[in-house]
Amino acid sequence: MTTINFPVSTFSGERPQEGAGRLKNCYAEPLGEGGRATAVRHRVPGLALFGTSDEATFRGALLNGSTLYAAFDGTVVKFTSAGGAAVAVDDLDGTDRVFFARNNKRPTPDIAIVCGAGAFTLASDVIASLADADLPSSIDVCFLDGYFFFVIADGRCFASGLNATTINANDFITAEAKSDSLLRGIPWNGQLLLFGAGSTEVWAGQPVNDSGFPFNRVAVIQRGLAGKGAVAGFQDGFGKGLLWVGDDNAVHQMVGYTPTKVSSPDLDRLIESVADKDTLEASVYISGGHPKWCLSSNAWTWEFDLNTQKWNERNSYLAARWRGSRSFYAFGKWLCGDLNSGNIGEISRTTKTEFGNPLIAECWSAPVQNFPNRIRCARADFDLSPGVGVATGIDPNETDPGLEVSYSDDGGFTFTNPRIRKLGRQGKPLSRVTLFNNGTTGAQGRIWKVAMSDPAHFGLMGGDMAAELKVG
């Protein structure tokens, strides 16, 4: 028998025949000592419906006490912890990303909003222009240590009054370590990170600043931000790490003040090929103890597991990328917008679909080969968690789930018609998943693909094939 090696991190390769296995809508979780394998591949969490609206183009959200505000195309709506149908709040022009921030004012916090239409406040469900002559046109807003920080594209950052929305014309600094523009202001570990196109400046409250601006610059990081939406990890409820796409077209994790590269060359090439880096969208969530940092373009989504430091790919049914957008933590859940509707979804490990659509877990093996010779394969066995049917589920997809197994002998360009194998009903597990009479591999070896769309547990641990060398 020859081992069929399934990856623990996706390696798609610049060309399919250069890959070393792929994880699509599944990720590898290490098993303990004595396990049947070193890792098991599980399906990524699905999307359950949390809230509905008649809107389109999700733009951002903010939890304020027991009220969730969500911005859509031209409007803001609100939800309670029960979700359900949205209630209209007020108009907010545009379709671009909306940045919300909330301060600590008591008893009623101030809410600041920045988007392409300008800077605004939200109070008593009324959106009003933040018409302060001392505040130039802003591109971002965040909150830290009692202050709103408004980012200006020309490199300036203005601070509000303490737990107020008022602005003093002198309460600003200029990020001038490099002559680059500012893109985002991010609160992280009690410090303000000002991301520019070619560098990042770290500002903190110690020592005390003698000017009206509350912070001083304490460090300069020689790595900028590729696009306004390409940074995540600072969101409330996450706290596992800050990652961003740098000006070098690579993903970096902040370690102290050092940007540590975590992306593979495959992902670096994908990022480099995106013409408009502002279309990149980073988001985060935690599911089943796995903190995930996600990066999407219009054509793909990749996820990074901060526990295992491994990557997997993700896409929604009949789409190139994941339909989840701009995730946030609210009511003890990880929620997100939906690219295909005006709904809000809950990122749920127990949900095996996305708003009722199939969520297809797909795992490609590394090539099984003995180049330049070919290999006869009379039999292949796959080690999966059996008996995963749900007796009370929908028949037959949940009660008697199956999976599809196919293979490619041309490096992953084309695959054979899949063969369906059952995993067993609840309490009636099958002994193995086996395929006979699998022909002869090509000179490039054989890539096996195991895929599962049925909404039941997916747990792939490995595989073996009976291999006989064929010379000539």
Side-chain angles (χ1 to χ4, degrees):
M1 300 294 288
T2 298
T3 300
I4 301 173
N5 289 312
F6 289 99
V8 295
S9 189
T10 199
F11 290 97
S12 57
E14 187 168 6
R15 295 290 186 271
Q17 59 268 59
E18 298 173 3
R22 301 179 72 169
L23 298 174
K24 295 184 175 184
N25 291 333
C26 59
Y27 61 93
E29 180 178 280
L31 296 177
E33 292 184 20
R36 285 160 56 180
T38 58
V40 59
R41 288 93 191 152
H42 285 155
R43 192 194 314 254
V44 296
L47 291 175
L49 183 63
F50 172 79
T52 63
S53 82
D54 296 327
E55 312 303 331
T57 313
F58 178 70
R59 304 168 65 191
L62 172 76
L63 179 64
N64 181 35
S66 60
T67 301
L68 173 65
Y69 291 100
F72 290 91
D73 182 357
T75 190
V76 171
V77 301
K78 65 181 181 180
F79 299 90
T80 67
S81 60
V87 176
V89 173
D90 205 348
D91 295 336
L92 185 63
D93 290 342
T95 60
D96 60 312
R97 189 179 189 120
V98 173
F99 300 100
F100 287 96
R102 186 197 68 181
N103 66 14
N104 291 327
K105 184 178 177 181
R106 297 291 184 267
T108 304
D110 295 313
I111 297 176
I113 301 173
V114 167
C115 62
F120 303 89
T121 59
L122 172 58
S124 301
D125 287 355
V126 175
I127 296 176
S129 174
L130 205 169
D132 194 315
D134 293 327
L135 180 64
S137 178
S138 307
I139 61 171
D140 187 19
V141 63
C142 68
F143 171 79
L144 181 64
D145 285 358
Y147 303 93
F148 288 124
F149 293 96
F150 294 89
V151 173
I152 317 302
D154 64 8
R156 290 179 292 170
C157 179
F158 281 75
S160 72
L162 184 63
N163 282 322
T165 58
T166 54
I167 305 294
N168 186 304
N170 296 319
D171 291 353
F172 75 91
I173 53 89
T174 302
E176 52 190 4
K178 283 191 175 182
S179 57
D180 54 344
S181 61
L182 276 184
L183 298 176
R184 292 291 304 275
I186 300 297
W188 177 248
N189 282 347
Q191 299 172 321
L192 176 66
L193 304 185
L194 295 178
F195 282 90
S199 64
T200 301
E201 298 192 8
V202 183
W203 291 72
Q206 296 295 331
V208 175
N209 195 323
D210 293 332
S211 72
F213 194 83
F215 290 174
N216 285 295
R217 191 176 75 187
V218 297
V220 176
I221 299 170
Q222 302 300 322
R223 189 88 282 151
L225 178 65
K228 296 175 184 176
V231 56
F234 59 90
Q235 288 87 345
D236 291 340
F238 192 68
K240 300 296 184 179
L242 181 73
L243 291 88
W244 76 100
V245 180
D247 53 331
D248 59 346
N249 296 317
V251 179
H252 300 271
Q253 183 174 355
M254 187 73 80
V255 180
Y257 292 148
T258 302
T260 302
K261 185 177 182 294
V262 297
S263 55
S264 67
D266 292 335
L267 181 54
D268 296 345
R269 284 188 290 266
L270 290 174
I271 295 171
E272 184 179 357
S273 68
V274 176
D276 182 2
K277 299 299 190 291
D278 276 341
T279 61
L280 293 172
E281 182 182 289
S283 57
V284 293
Y285 67 85
I286 301 175
S287 177
H290 290 269
K292 295 282 191 172
W293 186 89
C294 314
L295 181 66
S296 295
S297 76
N298 293 330
W300 45 262
T301 297
W302 281 45
E303 294 184 331
F304 183 69
D305 190 317
L306 275 79
N307 283 349
T308 64
Q309 300 284 294
K310 306 297 183 183
W311 290 92
N312 62 269
E313 302 167 66
R314 179 163 190 158
N315 71 290
S316 294
Y317 186 60
L318 301 180
R321 60 156 285 180
W322 183 37
R323 64 191 291 180
S325 177
R326 299 169 185 171
S327 60
F328 53 95
Y329 190 68
F331 311 123
K333 308 172 185 193
W334 280 100
L335 307 176
C336 65
D338 177 29
L339 290 183
N340 298 348
S341 71
N343 298 332
I344 300 294
E346 177 187 351
I347 302 171
S348 169
R349 184 177 62 87
T350 60
T351 302
K352 312 300 184 185
T353 62
E354 291 185 335
F355 299 112
N357 290 314
L359 178 57
I360 304 173
E362 187 176 301
C363 189
W364 296 22
S365 74
V368 182
Q369 63 179 349
N370 192 342
F371 183 84
N373 300 309
R374 296 187 295 162
I375 300 172
R376 292 190 183 96
C377 178
R379 170 177 174 164
D381 293 274
F382 299 90
D383 189 7
L384 293 111
S385 298
V388 296
V390 181
T392 58
I394 299 172
D395 191 49
N397 289 354
E398 287 183 283
T399 60
D400 191 20
L403 51 77
E404 299 178 347
V405 182
S406 56
Y407 58 82
S408 171
D409 290 330
D410 57 10
F413 277 105
T414 61
F415 282 85
T416 60
N417 291 329
R419 287 189 266 182
I420 298 175
R421 294 293 184 269
K422 295 293 186 178
L423 290 174
R425 294 178 180 271
Q426 184 174 330
K428 297 180 179 180
L430 302 180
S431 59
R432 64 174 64 90
V433 172
T434 302
L435 277 72
F436 295 100
N437 302 321
N438 301 300
T440 302
T441 72
Q444 299 180 63
R446 172 164 294 176
I447 295 174
W448 291 91
K449 179 167 69 174
V450 178
M452 183 174 179
S453 61
D454 286 349
H457 179 78
F458 177 78
L460 173 63
M461 283 163 276
D464 285 280
M465 58 183 266
E468 179 185 349
L469 183 65
K470 180 177 180 181
V471 180

